[in-house]
Amino acid sequence: MVTIKDVARLANVSIATVSRVVNNYTHVRPAVREAVTKAIAELGYRPNGLASSFRTQQSNIVGVLLRQQRTPFSSALAYAIENTMFDQGYRVLLCSTNGDADREEAYLNTMLEMRVQGVIIRPSAATPRTIKQVNLLREQGIAVSFVDMKPKIAAVSSVVCDNFSGGYQGMRHLIELGHRRIGVAAGSVAQKGGAADVGSERARGIRQAAADLATDVEIIWSPPFDIASFEIGREIGDVMIRANPDMTAIFATTDMLAIGVMHSAHALGLDLPGDLSILGYDGVLESSVTFPTLSTIAQPIHEMGQLAATTLIDHMRGVSKSPRQVVLENTLIQRASTIPLP
Amino acid sequence: MVTIKDVARLANVSIATVSRVVNNYTHVRPAVREAVTKAIAELGYRPNGLASSFRTQQSNIVGVLLRQQRTPFSSALAYAIENTMFDQGYRVLLCSTNGDADREEAYLNTMLEMRVQGVIIRPSAATPRTIKQVNLLREQGIAVSFVDMKPKIAAVSSVVCDNFSGGYQGMRHLIELGHRRIGVAAGSVAQKGGAADVGSERARGIRQAAADLATDVEIIWSPPFDIASFEIGREIGDVMIRANPDMTAIFATTDMLAIGVMHSAHALGLDLPGDLSILGYDGVLESSVTFPTLSTIAQPIHEMGQLAATTLIDHMRGVSKSPRQVVLENTLIQRASTIPLP
DNA sequence: CGGTATCTTGTAAACGTTTTCAAAACAAGA
DNA sequence: TCTTGTTTTGAAAACGTTTACAAGATACCG
C-alpha cells in the first residue's frame, strides 16, 4: 500500500508538504503543489483514513441508533439523517437495536470505542440503562441528539413532534365531521397517560380535544396492546367494531394500525368510509395506498431527520453548545377515509 | 481520556500486558490478569478503537451501498445485512446513493479511505464507472459482494433471485387460472430484454411461460417507464385498462406498481378481483395490506441479505477465497387479488 | 546592501495501540 | 545445585498521519 512517504520521495518534498497538499492547506508554492498532485496521481495514493482518524482523533462517523429498522417511519428517518450527514462530510453507522437492550448496549459500546463524533438516538424507551449509557457518551464529549422522544435529561437536544397537538387535531377533525362515538386505538402505555412519551401525548391531546370541543363525545378506548402493527390493528378493530355497533369513527395512533382496522372493518362487511370513518397517524408511505385512501395526521419525518442531523452537527462543530429542543407540528392530511356523518 | 498507559501504571505492569488482557490472550498469570482487570474498571478505561484499528489496519466496518433507502425492499435488505454483520462483530456503514453516480463515487472513495473490510453493493446499474470502482476496491484487497444483481465481472460473489423463474411462475399462475389476455407492467429496460438485469430477466420468464404453457396467450405490454413507483403504477394501469377492455389480469413487476394499478382499476369502477386479477412482485410489507390482499411473487429478502453478509464475511476472513454466486428461488404467495376466470 | 517581515519548507515528535524479541521467572528433571 | 524447557513479562519498534517549531527562502523597504 502506497503511503505518504512514497509520494514525498517521488515528489522530492517532505511528508509534511504532502500532507499540506492533501488537506489543501495554504502556504504551498503552486509549483510544489502541482508536483505533489502529480505524484499522488501517478502512485494512486489514497490517504489512510485509519491513520488520520487516529492522529486527529476524529472519526467523522456518527452513529444512528434506531429501535427498529423495518418500519417505514424508521427507514425514512434514517434516510433523511444519512442524506444530511453525507452533505456535511459525515458518515453514518447504522445501529438498529431491534428493541433489544443488550444490543443497544453493545452498540453504544462500539460507538464509544470507535470514537464516533456524535450519536442520534431514537430509543426503545428512556430506561435508566439508556440514560446511563447516554450520560457516558456525553462524558466522553460525544454529542448526542434525540429524535422522536424528548429525554428527561435536561441538557440534551431533541427533535420531536407535538404529539399532543397531533392527537388534538385528529380528534377535532373527527368531531367537526360530526362524529361523537369515536374509537381510539392506542397502545397500553398511552392509555395510562403517565410518561411524556409519544403515545401518551397523543392520547392526552385526544382527551383534551374531546373535552374542549363538544360535550357529548364518547371515547371508546381499544384494549391495550404493545406493538402498533398491522396484525394488532386487525385484532383491535375486530374487537372494537363488534362491541360497539354505534361507533362511527376510529382514530388509530399509527398508520399501520389504521390499515389493520380497515381490514377488520372490511372483513366484518362494513362499508368504508360510509359506515366507519378511519383516521391514521404518521403519514408514512402506506397511507395513500389503501382503499379508501387514508386520512392521517402526518409527521414531517424528513424534516425531523434533517433537523436532528443539523442540530447534532452544530454540537459536534462546537457552533452551538447549548441544547436545542425542537418541536415540530403535525398536519392533518385529509383523504377519503374520513367523511362527515350524514 | 484514560489510555493503556494509565492502566499499566496503576496495575504495575507494562502496557504490553494490559494489551494482552484486553484482547484476552493467553500467557497471563491469573493474578496479573485480575489486577489489570481491576485497574481497567477503576479507571473506566476503554480501548481507543481508532488506535487499534490503525495499528492493525482493520476497521471491522463493512459498507452497504444501496441505490435507494426509502423502499421497503431496500430497508428490509439493509436490516438483514446489519443484523447478520452485528452478530459477527462487524459494523455497518450505511451508504445510500440515491441513484446518484457522483454520490456513489464519493461513498466508494470514503470506503476506500477508511479501509472498510468489505462492501455489499446493490448498484444502480452496472455502469462502467461502477465496475471500475469495484475493481479498485478489490485491488486494495477489499472484499466485495453484490446483491440483487449478478455483475458481469466474473470473479465476484453475488446473491440474486431467479427472476426468470419468478416471472415464469407468475405467468404460469395466471395462465392456470384461465387468463389469456394478460397485461404486464414492466419498466423500459425490461422490455428491451437485452441485459441480464432484474427486470429483463422477469420479462424473459414471462415470455417463456406464455410460449410454453398455452398457444393463445396474448401479452399486453405496458408503456415503458423508468421508476416502479405507486404513482407510475396508477398511470400505467389507467392507460392499459382503458385501452384493453378485454384484458382479465395484470402482472406488475413490483408490488408498488401493483398497488398503483389497483388504484387505477378502482378509479375506473372495476371490481377487484372480479373484473381484473392483479399479481405483484416482491413480497414487501404492503402486499398484505391492500384490498383485496395482493397475490405476489415473493423474494426471500431476509435470506438474500443474510447470505450476502455471510458470503462477504467468509471472504473477509479468508475462509473462502473463490467467489460464490448464489441464486435463490422466488415463491408465489397466493392471496385474494388473483382468481380463476369464470 | 542590510534589515525586517512574510511565505514556504523540513525535522521530528506525537497519537495509542499491537507485536516482536529477548530477558526474566519459574518448574522440573538430573 | 545445575541444566533444560516452558511460561510469563517488559522494552521498544512500528503503523501513517498531523502539527509545532524552527530554519531557510524570498520579497520589500530604506
Side-chain angles (χ1 to χ4, degrees):
Chain A
M1 184 120 313
V2 27
T3 77
I4 203 172
K5 277 186 200 165
D6 303 316
V7 178
R9 201 173 309 124
L10 182 59
N12 247 319
V13 295
S14 75
I15 59 169
T17 301
V18 178
S19 176
R20 279 187 273 257
V21 171
V22 169
N23 299 92
N24 47 68
Y25 285 161
T26 175
H27 295 312
V28 177
R29 241 181 15 199
V32 174
R33 164 157 278 142
E34 198 184 335
V36 171
T37 311
K38 188 158 153 269
I40 288 175
E42 197 164 316
L43 294 173
Y45 167 70
R46 205 171 286 274
N48 186 328
L50 255 28
S52 55
S53 284
F54 162 60
R55 171 59 227 244
T56 60
Q57 291 294 313
Q58 304 238 313
S59 61
N60 284 322
I61 295 182
V62 305
V64 174
L65 195 70
L66 302 171
R67 59 188 151 195
Q68 301 140 317
Q69 165 64 6
R70 280 160 305 185
T71 70
F73 186 94
S74 275
S75 54
L77 198 61
Y79 178 78
I81 294 172
E82 190 223 323
N83 251 6
T84 311
M85 286 296 177
F86 179 86
D87 293 338
Q88 299 294 321
Y90 295 98
R91 299 297 175 256
V92 164
L93 194 75
L94 180 64
C95 312
S96 40
T97 62
N98 213 359
D100 177 348
D102 286 341
R103 197 154 156 177
E104 183 166 317
E105 183 156 2
Y107 260 129
L108 284 163
N109 237 310
T110 302
M111 295 200 242
L112 233 25
E113 293 195 354
M114 64 194 294
R115 306 303 201 254
V116 295
Q117 300 209 239
V119 180
I120 293 182
I121 306 188
R122 181 180 183 225
S124 313
T127 62
R129 196 173 178 179
T130 305
I131 303 287
K132 207 183 122 206
Q133 299 279 1
V134 168
N135 280 330
L136 203 57
L137 285 171
R138 303 180 66 223
E139 276 167 30
Q140 307 297 315
I142 297 174
V144 176
S145 169
F146 277 70
V147 65
D148 198 33
M149 173 178 276
K150 196 183 294 181
K152 275 133 221 156
I153 319 167
V156 46
S157 288
S158 61
V159 178
V160 297
C161 278
D162 189 340
N163 289 291
F164 172 83
S165 147
Y168 197 100
Q169 278 181 72
M171 204 59 179
R172 184 172 58 206
H173 173 59
L174 293 173
I175 291 172
E176 282 175 357
L177 289 174
H179 297 281
R180 287 301 175 267
R181 285 185 58 76
I182 300 171
V184 173
S188 46
V189 189
Q191 298 185 23
K192 278 183 264 152
D197 76 336
V198 171
S200 54
E201 278 298 293
R202 289 180 194 173
R204 206 164 61 77
I206 289 169
R207 274 198 204 86
Q208 191 64 47
D212 286 359
L213 303 174
T215 52
D216 55 345
V217 171
E218 186 184 346
I219 297 178
I220 298 147
W221 293 95
S222 68
F225 57 90
D226 288 324
I227 303 155
S229 65
F230 168 75
E231 287 76 16
I232 296 286
R234 205 163 43 183
E235 286 173 32
I236 294 285
D238 194 66
V239 172
M240 292 175 79
I241 294 169
R242 282 174 195 275
N244 304 278
D246 52 350
M247 178 175 64
T248 63
I250 292 185
F251 187 3
T253 52
T254 281
D255 285 342
M256 286 313 289
L257 274 178
I259 296 174
V261 169
M262 282 180 138
H263 268 251
S264 65
H266 270 260
L268 291 170
L270 266 61
D271 172 50
L272 297 182
D275 295 337
L276 190 68
S277 281
I278 294 178
L279 179 61
Y281 205 121
D282 269 353
V284 295
L285 193 64
E286 285 83 358
S287 311
S288 64
V289 141
T290 54
F291 304 110
T293 55
L294 181 66
S295 295
T296 195
I297 305 293
Q299 310 206 54
I301 305 180
H302 192 81
E303 202 183 344
M304 285 175 82
Q306 215 169 15
L307 263 171
T310 52
T311 302
L312 191 72
I313 289 171
D314 285 351
H315 288 328
M316 292 188 301
R317 301 221 169 121
V319 176
S320 125
K321 266 292 189 187
S322 56
R324 192 189 305 164
Q325 308 220 343
V326 182
V327 179
L328 298 175
E329 274 306 310
N330 294 322
T331 52
L332 170 68
I333 297 182
Q334 187 166 4
R335 297 205 187 90
S337 69
T338 50
I339 56 168
L341 222 53
Chain B
M1 182 117 315
V2 29
T3 75
I4 204 172
K5 277 185 200 165
D6 303 314
V7 178
R9 202 173 309 126
L10 181 61
N12 245 318
V13 295
S14 72
I15 58 167
T17 301
V18 178
S19 175
R20 278 187 273 257
V21 171
V22 169
N23 300 89
N24 47 65
Y25 283 163
T26 176
H27 296 311
V28 178
R29 246 184 9 206
V32 175
R33 161 158 279 141
E34 198 181 336
V36 172
T37 311
K38 189 158 151 268
I40 288 175
E42 198 164 317
L43 295 173
Y45 167 71
R46 206 171 284 275
N48 186 326
L50 255 28
S52 55
S53 283
F54 163 59
R55 172 59 227 240
T56 60
Q57 291 293 312
Q58 304 238 310
S59 60
N60 283 323
I61 294 182
V62 305
V64 173
L65 194 70
L66 301 172
R67 59 188 150 195
Q68 301 139 317
Q69 165 63 6
R70 281 160 306 188
T71 68
F73 186 93
S74 274
S75 54
L77 198 60
Y79 178 78
I81 293 171
E82 190 223 324
N83 250 6
T84 311
M85 285 298 177
F86 178 86
D87 293 337
Q88 298 295 320
Y90 295 98
R91 300 295 175 256
V92 164
L93 194 75
L94 181 62
C95 313
S96 40
T97 62
N98 214 359
D100 177 348
D102 286 340
R103 193 150 160 183
E104 182 165 318
E105 183 155 2
Y107 260 130
L108 284 163
N109 239 309
T110 302
M111 295 200 243
L112 233 24
E113 293 194 356
M114 65 193 293
R115 308 302 202 253
V116 296
Q117 302 208 243
V119 181
I120 293 181
I121 306 187
R122 181 181 182 223
S124 313
T127 61
R129 196 171 178 180
T130 306
I131 302 287
K132 205 182 124 208
Q133 299 279 2
V134 168
N135 280 330
L136 203 57
L137 285 170
R138 303 180 67 223
E139 275 166 30
Q140 307 297 316
I142 297 174
V144 175
S145 169
F146 277 70
V147 65
D148 199 33
M149 174 179 275
K150 196 182 294 181
K152 275 134 218 156
I153 319 166
V156 47
S157 287
S158 62
V159 177
V160 296
C161 278
D162 189 339
N163 289 291
F164 172 83
S165 146
Y168 197 99
Q169 278 181 71
M171 204 59 179
R172 183 171 58 202
H173 173 57
L174 294 173
I175 290 172
E176 283 174 359
L177 289 174
H179 297 281
R180 287 301 176 266
R181 285 185 59 76
I182 300 171
V184 173
S188 46
V189 189
Q191 296 184 25
K192 277 183 266 151
D197 75 337
V198 170
S200 53
E201 279 297 292
R202 289 181 194 171
R204 207 164 61 78
I206 289 169
R207 273 199 204 88
Q208 190 65 47
D212 285 0
L213 303 174
T215 51
D216 53 346
V217 171
E218 185 185 348
I219 297 178
I220 299 147
W221 294 95
S222 67
F225 57 90
D226 287 326
I227 304 157
S229 66
F230 169 74
E231 287 76 15
I232 296 286
R234 207 164 41 186
E235 287 174 32
I236 293 286
D238 194 66
V239 172
M240 292 176 78
I241 294 169
R242 281 175 197 275
N244 304 277
D246 53 348
M247 177 175 65
T248 62
I250 293 185
F251 187 4
T253 52
T254 281
D255 284 342
M256 286 313 289
L257 274 179
I259 295 174
V261 169
M262 282 180 136
H263 268 251
S264 65
H266 270 260
L268 291 170
L270 265 62
D271 172 51
L272 297 182
D275 295 336
L276 190 68
S277 281
I278 293 178
L279 179 61
Y281 204 123
D282 269 353
V284 295
L285 193 64
E286 284 84 358
S287 310
S288 63
V289 140
T290 53
F291 304 112
T293 54
L294 181 65
S295 295
T296 194
I297 304 294
Q299 309 206 54
I301 304 181
H302 191 82
E303 202 183 345
M304 284 174 84
Q306 214 168 16
L307 263 171
T310 52
T311 301
L312 191 72
I313 290 172
D314 285 350
H315 288 328
M316 293 189 299
R317 301 218 170 124
V319 176
S320 122
K321 267 293 188 186
S322 54
R324 192 189 304 164
Q325 309 220 342
V326 181
V327 179
L328 299 176
E329 273 307 309
N330 294 321
T331 52
L332 170 69
I333 297 183
Q334 186 166 5
R335 297 205 186 90
S337 69
T338 49
I339 56 167
L341 222 54

